[in-house]
Amino acid sequence: MAERIIPLTGAANVRDLGGYQNKAGQFVRFKKVVRGAAISDLTAEDASHLEAYGIVKVVDFRSSKEQEKAPDALIPQAENIFLPIFQENQEVSAAPKTLMEQVEAGLDAAQQMREVYRQFVQAAYSRQAYRQFVDILLENEQPDQGVLFHCTAGKDRTGFGAALILAMLDVDQETILQNYLETNQQMVTKRAEMLQQAQQAGASEAMLKGIQEVMQADQSYLAESFATIGKEYGDVSGYLQKGLGLSKRDLTDFRKLYTVVD
């Protein structure tokens, strides 16, 4: 089995979605779709490594503010696509800085996170963004070319995007959850740095608890998305077809592109 984690000096939580087995016994192809956290600090060696890995498109799920503050480092030969998951100035935001500002203002962090995960499904703008993402993946037809998608921490917008891809490929829920929760292992250092900085700045216990809740991948967060899918669309199939407007042919083509019989 090839290694899913792509070790980079200037980016964390960069992982190939390949190798997972679906309910039909097929395996998700390697080097076709890669998830990650921010790639603004890639070294030249990182960029060359991703080019050699076959990355030809980079999809940025962040807000314009996040993008302006930390523009993506360029990967040679790769097209950069800006595809924010939430509408600008929308009340709900998955940007870590905005979430922390809301925690500082006294809002409940876990409650905010569950609302973010509901809005991935309920917000028309977000559904359209994820549909565009699927369309980009449907155009990714060459076997030696891949798409990298990311947000800031590679946890929420990216986490739901990865869950969406694996669900479309008929991977079971337990495996989808495992992929989602792996962010916690990949972001240990980053989370510890944030907590240390907050402690040194004199943050309250409530604030430190809020940072933990905002910066972790929690099973209840992703469960909120799937519960909303069940409530609004009946099941994942209904969400894909009615919520995202995907045809049965789209789903068949997607599985042909991204799975292989070992």
Side-chain angles (χ1 to χ4, degrees):
M1 178 67 71
E3 180 59 61
R4 290 192 186 97
I5 298 168
I6 301 174
L8 300 171
T9 301
N13 203 18
V14 180
R15 297 183 267 140
D16 198 310
L17 289 185
Y20 292 110
Q21 188 172 22
N22 70 9
K23 297 171 188 174
Q26 301 163 316
F27 290 85
V28 181
R29 292 181 187 270
F30 273 97
K31 296 191 174 184
K32 288 294 292 175
V33 61
V34 174
R35 58 176 293 174
I39 61 167
S40 53
D41 294 327
L42 292 181
T43 65
E45 291 78 11
D46 290 337
S48 294
H49 181 52
L50 290 170
E51 179 189 19
Y53 201 81
I55 299 301
V56 296
K57 289 185 179 180
V58 175
V59 182
D60 185 352
F61 285 163
R62 299 176 300 165
S63 68
S64 60
K65 287 182 180 179
E66 290 171 287
Q67 187 196 49
E68 288 165 10
K69 183 177 179 182
D72 282 352
L74 299 180
I75 298 168
Q77 313 303 319
E79 175 189 0
N80 287 65
I81 301 169
F82 180 52
L83 185 61
I85 293 300
F86 286 120
Q87 198 165 9
E88 298 295 336
N89 302 317
Q90 185 172 327
E91 185 175 336
V92 173
S93 172
K97 185 175 185 295
T98 303
L99 287 166
M100 291 317 306
E101 287 171 352
Q102 292 171 337
V103 170
E104 201 167 10
L107 297 180
D108 181 271
Q111 188 174 324
Q112 287 181 75
M113 295 308 303
R114 285 190 285 272
E115 179 60 24
V116 165
Y117 279 75
R118 280 193 293 273
Q119 289 304 307
F120 289 149
V121 178
Q122 290 181 329
Y125 186 94
S126 299
R127 289 198 306 275
Q128 181 59 33
Y130 281 117
R131 169 57 198 262
Q132 287 179 248
F133 177 50
V134 172
D135 287 341
I136 291 165
L137 294 176
L138 282 168
E139 294 168 358
N140 182 36
E141 296 179 342
Q142 298 302 316
D144 58 346
Q145 295 183 346
V147 174
L148 185 155
F149 66 103
H150 76 93
C151 51
T152 294
K155 178 176 71 74
D156 304 313
R157 291 160 289 190
T158 297
F160 181 75
L164 172 62
I165 292 167
L166 294 176
M168 288 179 67
L169 297 177
D170 205 26
V171 172
D172 67 87
Q173 285 286 316
E174 183 57 36
T175 302
I176 291 172
L177 179 62
Q178 288 173 5
N179 176 266
Y180 170 73
L181 292 176
E182 190 178 331
T183 284
N184 291 331
Q185 282 71 55
Q186 297 301 314
M187 298 297 283
V188 167
T189 302
K190 181 66 174 176
R191 200 161 57 246
E193 287 173 357
M194 286 192 68
L195 284 168
Q196 185 178 28
Q197 289 170 3
Q199 284 177 321
Q200 290 173 347
S204 66
E205 285 300 316
M207 185 64 178
L208 293 174
K209 180 175 181 288
I211 291 172
Q212 285 274 31
E213 291 175 332
V214 165
M215 290 303 296
Q216 73 179 356
D218 189 284
Q219 180 174 344
S220 70
Y221 300 163
L222 189 61
E224 195 72 31
S225 290
F226 282 102
T228 306
I229 284 172
K231 181 180 177 181
E232 305 265 340
Y233 298 100
D235 55 20
V236 171
S237 178
Y239 164 71
L240 294 174
Q241 294 183 50
K242 296 176 184 176
L244 299 189
L246 294 164
S247 68
K248 290 183 179 179
R249 176 63 183 272
D250 290 331
L251 297 173
T252 299
D253 288 347
F254 195 86
R255 286 172 187 160
K256 284 181 180 177
L257 279 174
Y258 289 96
T259 59
V260 62
V261 177
D262 190 28

